[in-house]
Amino acid sequence: MNAAIWAHPWDIIDEGTEAVADRLLDIGITEVNLATTMHSVQTLNPHNPERKTFFADASAYFQPNESRYGELVPDVNETMGDADWLAEISVGLETTALSLNSWTVPFHSSKQGRRHPQTTLENPFGDSLVWGLCPSNPDVQEYGTTLVTELADRGDVDGIEMELADFQYGTGYGWHHQEFFTHLGDLGELLFGLCFCEHCRANARRADVDIEAARESARKGLEMRFEGQIGSQTDIAGWLAEHPSLARYVDIRKDVVTDLFDDFDEQMGSTPFGYYLKMGGLGDDRMGVEHSWKHGLDLDALSEPLDYVTVLAYHSDPTVVRDDVRTARSLIDVPVNVGLLAGHPIVDSRAALVAQAEAAAEAGAEKLSFYGYGVVPERNLEWIRAAIDAADRI
C-alpha cells in the first residue's frame, strides 16, 4: 500500500532533504505532502536539529509570481524570506523515489482576512470571520484558481492536495486564545459560520431564496441557543425543515464549491487533484464524513473534478476510522485515502496506530497518509513503519 506523510518545509530544510528522504523511504513512505500555503501555526518539532518550535502567520512557502494574481496575493513566509523552500525541496527529491504533493490551504488565512476583510465569511450578525475567505467572493475565487494554476505550472510537485477550500464550519479551526464559554452545539456551530456576505446573498437571490427570512432564522436560532431556549443536541435536519428559506440558503452553497472545484481541475490540467475531508476537530470533536455538506461539499458532484479524497480520520477508536473510510467510499466515486494522526492526542502506542492502519486498509482505503513528519517524536516514525507493514498484510 502506498503511504504518504505530511511535512512542514522548515523541518525538511533544517534536517536536510537527502537525510529526510533516506529516513522516509526506510520506513516505507512513498510520498511527501508538503505545506506550500498554510494557516497560522505554532509547531513543536521534537527531532528538528535547528529549532524545537516554529511560529508562522498564514503564509506561502514558495515565491509566487505576483503579477499573476489580483486583489489577493500569497503572503511569503517571513522566516523563509527570499528563499523558495518548495523549489529547494523539490530539487532535493528529484533523484529519490519519493513523490512530492502540494499540501495547499488557500482560504483558511487570518492574515489575508485581516488585510482584506471584504473577502471574508460574514456571519448572520454581520461579523467578519477573519480566519476564513468566502468561496463565493470573486476575488477569493480568482486567488484560489491562480494559486493552483501557478503550483501546477511550476512543475515542482506531482499532485495538488487541497484543504479547506470550502465554506469551512462554525466557529472555525482556531484563533488566538479563543474565549468561547457558550456551548453552541451542532446547530449553533452551523448557524454561526453561515456566510451572508454580498456574494453569498447574490447567489441566494438568483435562486429565489428569501434572504432576509433565512438570515433572521439563523440569527434567531443562535440567540435562542445563547439563552438555552433550544438544546445543544437539537436535530439539525429537523430544525432546517422548519425553516425552509434557511435550508435552501444552506443547500445552494454546494453549487458554489462544485463550480469552483471544476475551475481548479481545469486549471490544474493533468496534475492530480486531491481534497482533504476535514470534518471538525480531533477525537470526539470530529464529525463523520456524512456531515461534509456543512462545509458546502456535495461529494457526489465532486466525483467529477476530484481524482481522490483523503479522509482525515483523527480519532482514537479504530472502528470510527473504519466507518469514516466506508462512508466516504459510499458517498464519492473516486479513490478514498485515509489520514491518520501518528501521535498525541490520538494515539499513544505503536499498537494503537497499527490498529488504525489495519482498520483503514480493511475498509478499502487506497493509501495511508500520516501526520506528520516533524511534529511527532522519532519513536513515532517507527510506529508508522509498523502501521504500513500491518496494512500491507491486509
Side-chain angles (χ1 to χ4, degrees), residues 136-304:
S136 294
N137 188 296
D139 289 333
V140 174
Q141 294 173 355
E142 180 187 28
Y143 170 66
T145 303
T146 306
L147 178 63
V148 297
T149 304
E150 179 170 23
L151 287 168
D153 289 349
R154 281 170 57 103
D156 297 307
V157 297
D158 300 292
I160 297 176
E161 302 187 349
M162 302 189 78
E163 179 180 4
L164 295 176
D166 52 40
F167 284 95
Q168 303 179 53
Y169 176 67
T171 49
Y173 286 92
W175 183 245
H176 303 294
H177 300 289
Q178 290 169 313
E179 295 191 359
F180 295 163
F181 304 123
T182 299
H183 183 204
L184 292 179
D186 290 346
L187 175 62
E189 284 283 347
L190 173 68
L191 298 180
F192 185 87
L194 282 181
C195 183
F196 284 86
C197 74
E198 61 176 305
H199 304 288
C200 285
R201 297 198 308 271
N203 291 336
R205 189 175 298 111
R206 284 191 290 270
D208 294 325
V209 174
D210 187 334
I211 300 167
E212 290 311 311
R215 191 169 195 165
E216 182 58 27
S217 292
R219 287 173 172 168
K220 186 65 175 178
L222 282 164
E223 289 167 349
M224 292 177 69
R225 178 65 208 122
F226 293 160
E227 299 304 322
Q229 296 170 3
I230 56 176
S232 63
Q233 301 302 315
T234 297
D235 176 64
I236 295 178
W239 195 89
L240 287 176
E242 296 174 356
H243 300 82
S245 294
L246 185 58
R248 290 192 62 207
Y249 191 92
V250 170
D251 194 56
I252 63 173
R253 302 181 310 158
K254 293 187 290 188
D255 293 335
V256 174
V257 175
T258 299
D259 289 345
L260 184 58
F261 278 38
D262 286 338
D263 290 341
F264 290 162
D265 182 45
E266 180 180 355
Q267 295 302 318
M268 288 184 203
S270 61
T271 304
F273 177 17
Y275 198 69
Y276 301 156
L277 301 183
K278 182 182 180 76
M279 301 296 116
L282 303 177
D284 292 336
D285 290 333
R286 56 161 296 289
M287 302 178 291
V289 179
E290 64 273 15
H291 294 274
S292 57
W293 62 270
K294 295 177 182 177
H295 281 243
L297 300 173
D298 181 344
L299 294 187
D300 182 54
L302 293 178
S303 298
E304 183 63 30

Side-chain angles (χ1 to χ4, degrees), residues 325-376:
V325 174
R326 286 179 175 173
T327 300
R329 293 183 69 207
S330 72
L331 293 175
I332 191 165
D333 189 24
V334 296
V336 174
N337 307 325
V338 68
L340 303 176
L341 176 54
H344 176 79
I346 300 301
V347 298
D348 58 6
S349 69
R350 176 193 305 247
L353 186 59
V354 165
Q356 292 197 350
E358 290 175 333
E362 289 169 354
E366 301 273 346
K367 180 173 70 179
L368 304 177
S369 292
F370 296 94
Y371 198 88
Y373 177 69
V375 294
V376 299

